[in-house]
Amino acid sequence: MKRLYILLLSLLIISCSNDDDSTNNSLVDLQGEWNLVNIIGGFEGIDQDFERGTIIWDFNETDGTITVTNNSTITDVYNGLPSGTYDYSVMDSGGSDELIVNDINLGTFTVTSINLTIIPQFRDGFEIRFDR
């Protein structure tokens, strides 16, 4: 009977899986195109949505650059970086990754296979959300 309990306990432990949906940033890369879909925050508390394809950040992990294509015609609210190519790096800050673009810390970020969210360091900054 004792062997049966040990066998059942072993099967229970083996059959358990990790259902955690969170993703370690080091396991999912930034490589490729990301469509900016929303910017929220700032002094004025904006919440601006953008159509896919209007603003694209294309990360190239090989040379550490982002090519930004910004075709937004919205001028009265912050719409991210202007079109151009920027150097970037990722800095580990005590367990969370921070995105540095042209030596400016944009904040911590979370990334999954389909979403990228950059969260500002300061309360009056802009949270920037991207989709693949």
Side-chain angles (χ1 to χ4, degrees):
M1 190 67 162
K2 186 176 182 180
R3 288 184 188 178
L4 179 61
Y5 287 123
I6 293 173
L7 179 63
L8 289 174
L9 181 60
S10 298
L11 288 174
L12 179 64
I13 291 171
I14 292 171
S15 66
C16 290
S17 66
N18 184 359
D19 292 332
D20 187 4
D21 289 335
S22 65
T23 304
N24 181 340
N25 291 337
S26 65
L27 298 177
V28 177
D29 61 83
L30 294 171
Q31 180 69 32
E33 289 188 359
W34 293 91
N35 291 277
L36 192 149
V37 294
N38 181 264
I39 294 180
I40 190 168
F43 287 118
E44 299 173 4
I46 68 161
D47 186 357
Q48 181 66 50
D49 292 327
F50 297 91
E51 288 187 36
R52 290 177 55 84
T54 302
I55 303 172
I56 299 170
W57 289 22
D58 188 359
F59 285 83
N60 183 328
E61 290 186 335
T62 303
D63 64 7
T65 60
I66 305 170
T67 302
V68 175
T69 304
N70 188 335
N71 294 315
S72 175
T73 57
I74 300 171
T75 57
D76 56 339
V77 297
Y78 177 74
N79 62 9
L81 298 171
S83 292
T85 300
Y86 302 88
D87 292 327
Y88 86 93
S89 62
V90 174
M91 180 177 73
D92 182 8
S93 177
S96 59
D97 292 331
E98 296 181 354
L99 182 63
I100 313 298
V101 176
N102 275 4
D103 296 323
I104 298 171
N105 189 329
L106 297 184
T108 60
F109 68 94
T110 58
V111 64
T112 68
S113 60
I114 59 171
N115 301 107
L116 166 64
T117 302
I118 303 170
I119 303 164
Q121 290 182 306
F122 306 104
R123 297 170 105 197
D124 60 345
F126 296 99
E127 182 174 308
I128 306 171
R129 298 178 187 158
F130 298 85
D131 288 342
R132 281 264 187 214

